[in-house]
């Protein structure tokens, strides 16, 4: 959390540890598809975050 947006390229792998709030999506001029693999855990949950605001989205590379 608190890190700048990261551009991903085909084949990149991103490991998101448990309990780390994060967003993912496309840039203004491209599509985004991803494959997520989730490892089952105990006492875990999924939380949908708020949308990225227009100012942050417009600042993406």
């Amino acid at each position: 959390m608190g890190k700048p947006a990261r551009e991903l390229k085909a084949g990149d792998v991103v490991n998101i540890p448990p309990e780390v709030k994060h967003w993912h999506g496309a840039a203004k001029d491209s599509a985004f598809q991803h494959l997520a693999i989730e490892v089952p855990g105990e006492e875990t949950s999924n939380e949908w975050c708020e949308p990225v605001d227009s100012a942050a989205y417009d600042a993406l590379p």
Side-chain angles (χ1 to χ4, degrees), residues 3-61:
K3 295 181 181 180
R6 175 179 161 189
E7 182 178 2
L8 301 177
K9 305 228 186 285
D12 283 354
V13 174
V14 179
N15 181 18
I16 309 292
E19 306 300 325
V20 172
K21 185 176 182 178
H22 65 283
W23 286 262
H24 42 84
K28 293 180 285 188
D29 60 352
S30 68
F32 180 78
Q33 296 178 1
H34 73 287
L35 173 65
I37 300 171
E38 182 177 331
V39 178
E42 295 181 13
E43 298 182 28
T44 61
S45 65
N46 183 43
E47 175 185 349
W48 289 95
C49 300
E50 64 279 356
V52 175
D53 66 37
S54 294
Y57 189 75
D58 290 340
L60 294 172

